[in-house]
Amino acid sequence: MDDHSYDAIVIGTGHSGLVGAWYLAQAGWSVLMLERRDIVGGTCVTEEIFPGYRGSSVANSSHSLDPRIVGDMRLDRFGLRFAHPELGSLTLFTDGRALVPWPDREKRRAELARFAHGQSDLDGYHALLDFYRSVAMRMQVSFYDPAPSLAAVAERFQTPAQQRAFQKVMFGSVADIIEEHLESPELQAFFAGTAVATNFVGPRTPGSGYLLLQRPLWEESMKSVGTHDENDLMMRNAAPMGGIGAITEAMAAAGRAAGVRIETNAEVVRILCTDGRVTGVALADGREFRAPRVLSNANPKLTLTRLLTADELGRDWYALAEDIPMKGSSAKVHLALNGTPRFACARSDKENELFLATNFRIAPSIDVLQEAYNEAIMGRWSERPTISGIISSAIDPSLTPPGAHFVSLSVRGVPYHLAEGTWDEHGDALAKAVVTTLEEHVPNLLDVLDDYHIYTPLDLEREFALLEGNGAHGDIVPGQIFDSRPMPGCADHRTPVEGLYLCGVGTWPGNFMSGVTGYNASHRMLSDARLPRPDTDPMAAVEDSIT
Ligand SMILES: Cc1cc2nc3c(=O)[nH]c(=O)nc-3n(C[C@H](O)[C@H](O)[C@H](O)COP(=O)(O)OP(=O)(O)OC[C@H]3O[C@@H](n4cnc5c(N)ncnc54)[C@H](O)[C@@H]3O)c2cc1C
């Protein structure tokens, strides 16, 4: 094996690719990873956005991270440490109040009662959680298993009541489900804000009912492999010291220790293939590397339509890949603060300290969330943006100068396609609207604000190769889940090009920063390498399912 040929090449060093590469190397394969940016980690990176200020560039939280993967890779040996803030989240409302899920049971109950419209809301809160849990259990879908078809999943709902529940979740809106259970606008907003994060959907969009199912499905999946309790202990409220990039840095270190060669500033521009079989990759700098298997962690639409030609992929497949919906809906705003922000809802310094160390969200009501979405589909961004944020320097002060803070804000309902003007013209105005919105909840914000920075959806595409700025490499919504993720015929991580595999959040089950697609794809590659490839035409199966 020379420097230019490997058992496998991995395109991209997002967390999914890093996980996949590690399992391949662990099985004895020689593995080369190629990353177009100058650092590893993809969207899960800690970077110096302002001189002396480091923080999360894109993704903020790692609550879905699979503890089995963390354990297998021994990330603790590579320096990964978690802090466990007392609070899981903070939902801020325009009247200055905040919903705080206190860890203490009695205090949490009192907090819910403060917002609930009577006992029926208190019962409704738990009934809503139970509703989703029961649908997840009946679905019997494990994220570790091959992607099921919608029809197979539907068949598991047998009684009329079960079928109704399935239809609500898959085809109804999350707002309808929430409103059936709760009257309090604040409690409604708490669930709706959780649901619509990352995807380009409003709470009243048909199909958005599924969005609250992703977490219970993940919990059921972890139960099926015995890691659920571990996750509760380890990842719930876990914040990596060093910001989210500390996780991917540890993954890269684990990979190198397992023998993976990682090259940055190495953009793949072509996947090379001969007679329908992958043979390697070509880089923007003219170099070529050879391997009989390539695993792409890049967005699947980008992989299939930009790194391959229609002739190489097959024209029908190429048309399917071009058709993968990819509308982005997020922007990032980063703030450098020269002092401590003070939440209006904090009643004491101690409470403020607790609030600083948790994720916070500004999504005051279902209507505000829906308005932001309505604006976005018309190509406009809302003056009342919905925001989720983290102040990682409150957890790890080494990220900023002493006494200073770095705030990383994810802004939702921001369209990639603008009705008027360009993002290079609009970016600054959006950043200022975000600052104004946050100031309503952090009254001393302008006193301590040193600088701000924005990644518009277009910047996210340019900088992180997120097509249309879509952080999920394609929304995780009905029609783009199960065996339709990323597209029919490719949900098992294989592609029509023999030896080319896909991983990453754009593949089933998505599941954000969990590592599960890297795990599943690498295991698929390893088992395929031991078995002859089945002699079937997957496009014929897709045609059968359509006709
Ligand atoms: C604003 C925003 C906020 C988010 N917040 C969260 C959050 O808090 N928690 C969470 O779990 N998820 C969050 N997400 C989603 C998150 O990005 C995904 O969940 C996940 O981390 C994606 O990881 P990945 O490894 O699948 O892909 P990516 O992180 O996108 O990695 C893909 C890698 O491939 C590289 N690449 C692409 N093309 C090439 C090429 N041609 N050659 C070489 N390299 C290439 C890219 O540079 C990148 O490094 C957020 C997304 C956005 C946009």
Side-chain angles (χ1 to χ4, degrees):
M1 192 81 37
D2 60 41
D3 262 9
H4 283 79
S5 48
Y6 294 83
D7 291 326
I9 292 171
V10 179
I11 304 173
T13 60
H15 83 281
S16 308
L18 288 165
V19 168
W22 184 86
Y23 281 102
L24 295 177
Q26 206 59 22
W29 288 18
S30 59
V31 182
L32 170 67
M33 295 195 81
L34 298 166
E35 168 57 50
R36 57 187 281 286
R37 294 194 79 216
D38 58 1
I39 63 165
V40 299
T43 48
C44 300
V45 276
T46 303
E47 291 182 275
E48 190 174 59
I49 306 273
F50 312 98
Y53 287 74
R54 288 165 52 73
S56 300
S57 299
V58 187
N60 283 344
S61 61
S62 54
H63 296 164
S64 301
L65 191 57
D66 186 338
R68 177 163 67 168
I69 293 171
V70 175
D72 283 355
M73 294 177 80
R74 299 302 314 263
L75 296 183
D76 55 337
R77 283 198 190 157
F78 298 95
L80 184 61
R81 298 280 175 276
F82 287 100
H84 293 272
E86 249 183 275
L87 300 177
S89 68
L90 187 68
T91 308
L92 304 166
F93 302 112
T94 21
D95 62 4
R97 293 188 300 165
L99 177 65
V100 187
W102 297 102
D104 175 77
R105 249 179 125 78
E106 278 314 308
K107 224 173 153 184
R108 192 163 65 237
R109 201 182 308 232
E111 181 73 355
L112 285 179
R114 204 156 68 89
F115 289 97
H117 287 195
Q119 186 61 38
S120 67
D121 259 7
L122 287 174
D123 295 342
Y125 180 91
H126 296 290
L128 179 57
L129 294 174
D130 287 345
F131 169 77
Y132 272 103
R133 228 173 269 137
S134 71
V135 172
M137 282 167 71
R138 178 144 302 278
M139 225 170 229
Q140 296 164 44
V141 166
S142 168
F143 288 174
Y144 297 102
D145 289 342
S149 68
L150 179 66
V153 173
E155 271 178 20
R156 295 168 195 163
F157 293 77
Q158 284 159 0
T159 68
Q162 289 166 0
Q163 286 165 359
R164 189 76 197 96
F166 176 74
Q167 285 159 358
K168 277 185 189 171
V169 167
M170 298 304 292
F171 310 119
S173 84
V174 75
D176 283 346
I177 298 174
I178 293 170
E179 285 166 351
E180 244 173 60
H181 290 87
L182 295 164
E183 274 181 34
S184 151
E186 292 83 12
L187 294 183
Q188 290 177 351
F190 170 73
F191 284 106
T194 306
V196 300
T198 307
N199 295 297
F200 192 16
V201 285
R204 299 201 184 281
T205 308
S208 58
Y210 173 80
L211 299 172
L212 285 180
L213 192 68
Q214 186 81 9
R215 181 77 207 183
L217 275 182
W218 180 218
E219 289 181 1
E220 285 304 307
S221 307
M222 286 190 287
K223 272 185 205 158
S224 72
V225 293
T227 57
H228 180 254
D229 291 342
E230 241 178 282
N231 194 59
D232 243 15
L233 288 175
M234 193 164 86
M235 292 305 163
R236 189 149 289 183
N237 296 3
M241 299 299 286
I244 201 157
I247 299 174
T248 46
E249 283 161 27
M251 286 176 169
R256 288 192 186 99
V260 177
R261 177 177 161 199
I262 302 178
E263 285 220 17
T264 51
N265 295 311
E267 181 179 4
V268 173
V269 288
R270 295 262 298 111
I271 293 170
L272 305 172
C273 34
T274 309
D275 299 333
R277 210 188 188 302
V278 83
T279 56
V281 297
L283 269 56
D285 62 16
R287 286 181 295 164
E288 290 190 1
F289 292 97
R290 300 278 151 191
R293 291 172 202 87
V294 169
L295 173 62
S296 180
N297 176 202
N299 177 305
K301 185 170 184 171
L302 183 153
T303 302
L304 298 175
T305 64
R306 302 214 185 149
L307 304 184
L308 290 167
T309 63
D311 283 341
E312 286 164 337
L313 186 62
R315 293 200 169 267
D316 291 342
W317 287 110
Y318 196 87
L320 269 183
E322 276 195 312
D323 203 31
I324 299 174
M326 203 52 68
K327 288 197 179 91
S329 59
S330 303
K332 285 295 300 189
V333 173
H334 306 105
L335 308 179
L337 309 185
N338 59 28
T340 303
R342 176 84 193 198
F343 283 103
C345 55
R347 288 164 300 189
S348 64
D349 288 349
K350 189 166 180 298
E351 218 170 70
N352 198 50
E353 257 175 52
L354 282 180
F355 293 174
L356 289 175
T358 188
N359 294 281
F360 61 88
R361 186 186 305 132
I362 304 172
S365 68
I366 286 182
D367 286 347
V368 169
L369 285 164
Q370 186 62 32
E371 272 165 34
Y373 171 70
N374 292 347
E375 287 296 298
I377 51 177
M378 302 302 284
R380 296 187 291 262
W381 50 270
S382 169
E383 291 285 348
R384 297 164 76 196
T386 56
I387 298 169
S388 55
I390 194 167
I391 307 174
S392 22
S393 48
I395 294 157
D396 181 352
S398 73
L399 291 167
T400 54
H405 283 290
F406 179 99
V407 187
S408 174
L409 302 166
S410 298
V411 191
R412 311 299 185 185
V414 184
Y416 174 84
H417 296 283
L418 287 171
E420 279 176 32
T422 66
W423 267 120
D424 292 330
E425 293 159 2
H426 278 261
D428 196 56
L430 173 60
K432 286 184 173 137
V434 169
V435 169
T436 304
T437 304
L438 184 59
E439 194 199 357
E440 286 172 20
H441 305 274
V442 180
N444 73 337
L445 185 64
L446 293 186
D447 300 336
V448 292
L449 181 65
D450 251 359
D451 206 353
Y452 63 87
H453 168 264
I454 181 162
Y455 281 133
T456 67
L458 182 62
D459 296 327
L460 289 173
E461 180 177 69
R462 288 172 177 155
E463 187 62 41
F464 298 92
L466 292 175
L467 283 194
E468 300 206 9
N470 191 309
H473 296 187
D475 286 346
I476 307 176
V477 292
Q480 288 173 255
I481 54 172
F482 301 151
D483 63 357
S484 293
R485 188 164 191 84
M487 64 183 202
C490 288
D492 59 1
H493 302 285
R494 298 182 183 119
T495 69
V497 177
E498 201 178 339
L500 174 62
Y501 293 80
L502 304 172
C503 71
V505 65
T507 61
W508 172 254
N511 209 33
F512 304 107
M513 202 216 186
S514 58
V516 72
T517 70
Y519 179 95
N520 289 347
S522 54
H523 285 76
R524 165 70 66 197
M525 290 171 79
L526 292 169
S527 65
D528 280 1
R530 287 180 214 118
L531 295 169
R533 200 171 196 215
D535 191 20
T536 52
D537 174 5
M539 186 43 113
V542 173
E543 278 160 8
D544 284 352
S545 70
I546 294 169
T547 50

PDB file of all heavy atoms in Angstrom, residues 343-354:
ATOM      1  N   PHE A 343     -29.470  37.914  32.318  1.00  0.00           N
ATOM      2  CA  PHE A 343     -30.818  37.590  31.847  1.00  0.00           C
ATOM      3  C   PHE A 343     -31.856  38.345  32.680  1.00  0.00           C
ATOM      4  O   PHE A 343     -31.771  38.356  33.921  1.00  0.00           O
ATOM      5  CB  PHE A 343     -31.080  36.088  31.962  1.00  0.00           C
ATOM      6  CG  PHE A 343     -30.420  35.281  30.875  1.00  0.00           C
ATOM      7  CD1 PHE A 343     -29.262  34.566  31.125  1.00  0.00           C
ATOM      8  CD2 PHE A 343     -30.961  35.246  29.597  1.00  0.00           C
ATOM      9  CE1 PHE A 343     -28.649  33.823  30.122  1.00  0.00           C
ATOM     10  CE2 PHE A 343     -30.357  34.510  28.580  1.00  0.00           C
ATOM     11  CZ  PHE A 343     -29.199  33.795  28.846  1.00  0.00           C
ATOM     12  N   ALA A 344     -32.834  38.953  32.005  1.00  0.00           N
ATOM     13  CA  ALA A 344     -33.886  39.702  32.714  1.00  0.00           C
ATOM     14  C   ALA A 344     -34.651  38.791  33.665  1.00  0.00           C
ATOM     15  O   ALA A 344     -35.146  39.236  34.706  1.00  0.00           O
ATOM     16  CB  ALA A 344     -34.842  40.322  31.698  1.00  0.00           C
ATOM     17  N   CYS A 345     -34.744  37.517  33.327  1.00  0.00           N
ATOM     18  CA  CYS A 345     -35.547  36.603  34.144  1.00  0.00           C
ATOM     19  C   CYS A 345     -34.794  36.095  35.371  1.00  0.00           C
ATOM     20  O   CYS A 345     -35.397  35.450  36.231  1.00  0.00           O
ATOM     21  CB  CYS A 345     -36.008  35.422  33.295  1.00  0.00           C
ATOM     22  SG  CYS A 345     -34.637  34.562  32.508  1.00  0.00           S
ATOM     23  N   ALA A 346     -33.496  36.385  35.482  1.00  0.00           N
ATOM     24  CA  ALA A 346     -32.729  35.878  36.634  1.00  0.00           C
ATOM     25  C   ALA A 346     -33.034  36.726  37.863  1.00  0.00           C
ATOM     26  O   ALA A 346     -32.934  37.953  37.813  1.00  0.00           O
ATOM     27  CB  ALA A 346     -31.242  35.903  36.317  1.00  0.00           C
ATOM     28  N   ARG A 347     -33.398  36.050  38.964  1.00  0.00           N
ATOM     29  CA  ARG A 347     -33.771  36.809  40.161  1.00  0.00           C
ATOM     30  C   ARG A 347     -32.584  37.053  41.087  1.00  0.00           C
ATOM     31  O   ARG A 347     -32.699  37.761  42.077  1.00  0.00           O
ATOM     32  CB  ARG A 347     -34.891  36.067  40.912  1.00  0.00           C
ATOM     33  CG  ARG A 347     -36.233  36.150  40.188  1.00  0.00           C
ATOM     34  CD  ARG A 347     -37.212  35.144  40.700  1.00  0.00           C
ATOM     35  NE  ARG A 347     -36.707  33.788  40.512  1.00  0.00           N
ATOM     36  CZ  ARG A 347     -37.415  32.687  40.717  1.00  0.00           C
ATOM     37  NH1 ARG A 347     -38.657  32.774  41.128  1.00  0.00           N
ATOM     38  NH2 ARG A 347     -36.889  31.497  40.524  1.00  0.00           N
ATOM     39  N   SER A 348     -31.458  36.442  40.800  1.00  0.00           N
ATOM     40  CA  SER A 348     -30.267  36.641  41.634  1.00  0.00           C
ATOM     41  C   SER A 348     -29.031  36.353  40.782  1.00  0.00           C
ATOM     42  O   SER A 348     -29.135  35.781  39.692  1.00  0.00           O
ATOM     43  CB  SER A 348     -30.291  35.676  42.822  1.00  0.00           C
ATOM     44  OG  SER A 348     -30.204  34.347  42.325  1.00  0.00           O
ATOM     45  N   ASP A 349     -27.857  36.720  41.304  1.00  0.00           N
ATOM     46  CA  ASP A 349     -26.611  36.435  40.575  1.00  0.00           C
ATOM     47  C   ASP A 349     -26.440  34.928  40.393  1.00  0.00           C
ATOM     48  O   ASP A 349     -25.984  34.458  39.354  1.00  0.00           O
ATOM     49  CB  ASP A 349     -25.401  36.981  41.348  1.00  0.00           C
ATOM     50  CG  ASP A 349     -25.353  38.495  41.289  1.00  0.00           C
ATOM     51  OD1 ASP A 349     -26.124  39.073  40.498  1.00  0.00           O
ATOM     52  OD2 ASP A 349     -24.565  39.089  42.051  1.00  0.00           O
ATOM     53  N   LYS A 350     -26.835  34.205  41.447  1.00  0.00           N
ATOM     54  CA  LYS A 350     -26.655  32.750  41.389  1.00  0.00           C
ATOM     55  C   LYS A 350     -27.532  32.151  40.272  1.00  0.00           C
ATOM     56  O   LYS A 350     -27.096  31.294  39.510  1.00  0.00           O
ATOM     57  CB  LYS A 350     -27.036  32.148  42.752  1.00  0.00           C
ATOM     58  CG  LYS A 350     -26.702  30.694  42.882  1.00  0.00           C
ATOM     59  CD  LYS A 350     -26.769  30.244  44.335  1.00  0.00           C
ATOM     60  CE  LYS A 350     -26.443  28.768  44.478  1.00  0.00           C
ATOM     61  NZ  LYS A 350     -27.340  27.890  43.792  1.00  0.00           N
ATOM     62  N   GLU A 351     -28.772  32.666  40.202  1.00  0.00           N
ATOM     63  CA  GLU A 351     -29.673  32.167  39.164  1.00  0.00           C
ATOM     64  C   GLU A 351     -29.122  32.529  37.778  1.00  0.00           C
ATOM     65  O   GLU A 351     -29.172  31.736  36.842  1.00  0.00           O
ATOM     66  CB  GLU A 351     -31.069  32.762  39.353  1.00  0.00           C
ATOM     67  CG  GLU A 351     -32.150  31.771  39.044  1.00  0.00           C
ATOM     68  CD  GLU A 351     -33.532  32.255  39.444  1.00  0.00           C
ATOM     69  OE1 GLU A 351     -34.054  33.190  38.805  1.00  0.00           O
ATOM     70  OE2 GLU A 351     -34.073  31.695  40.401  1.00  0.00           O
ATOM     71  N   ASN A 352     -28.567  33.743  37.667  1.00  0.00           N
ATOM     72  CA  ASN A 352     -27.999  34.154  36.375  1.00  0.00           C
ATOM     73  C   ASN A 352     -26.864  33.210  35.965  1.00  0.00           C
ATOM     74  O   ASN A 352     -26.749  32.832  34.803  1.00  0.00           O
ATOM     75  CB  ASN A 352     -27.495  35.593  36.443  1.00  0.00           C
ATOM     76  CG  ASN A 352     -27.317  36.185  35.052  1.00  0.00           C
ATOM     77  OD1 ASN A 352     -28.221  36.115  34.219  1.00  0.00           O
ATOM     78  ND2 ASN A 352     -26.148  36.727  34.778  1.00  0.00           N
ATOM     79  N   GLU A 353     -26.057  32.826  36.931  1.00  0.00           N
ATOM     80  CA  GLU A 353     -24.954  31.897  36.639  1.00  0.00           C
ATOM     81  C   GLU A 353     -25.481  30.573  36.089  1.00  0.00           C
ATOM     82  O   GLU A 353     -24.945  30.015  35.144  1.00  0.00           O
ATOM     83  CB  GLU A 353     -24.174  31.608  37.922  1.00  0.00           C
ATOM     84  CG  GLU A 353     -22.869  32.351  38.017  1.00  0.00           C
ATOM     85  CD  GLU A 353     -22.209  32.121  39.354  1.00  0.00           C
ATOM     86  OE1 GLU A 353     -22.046  30.954  39.749  1.00  0.00           O
ATOM     87  OE2 GLU A 353     -21.897  33.134  40.013  1.00  0.00           O
ATOM     88  N   LEU A 354     -26.566  30.085  36.718  1.00  0.00           N
ATOM     89  CA  LEU A 354     -27.172  28.832  36.246  1.00  0.00           C
ATOM     90  C   LEU A 354     -27.690  28.992  34.821  1.00  0.00           C
ATOM     91  O   LEU A 354     -27.509  28.124  33.974  1.00  0.00           O
ATOM     92  CB  LEU A 354     -28.366  28.446  37.129  1.00  0.00           C
ATOM     93  CG  LEU A 354     -28.109  27.819  38.479  1.00  0.00           C
ATOM     94  CD1 LEU A 354     -29.435  27.526  39.165  1.00  0.00           C
ATOM     95  CD2 LEU A 354     -27.330  26.521  38.287  1.00  0.00           C
TER      96      LEU A 354
END
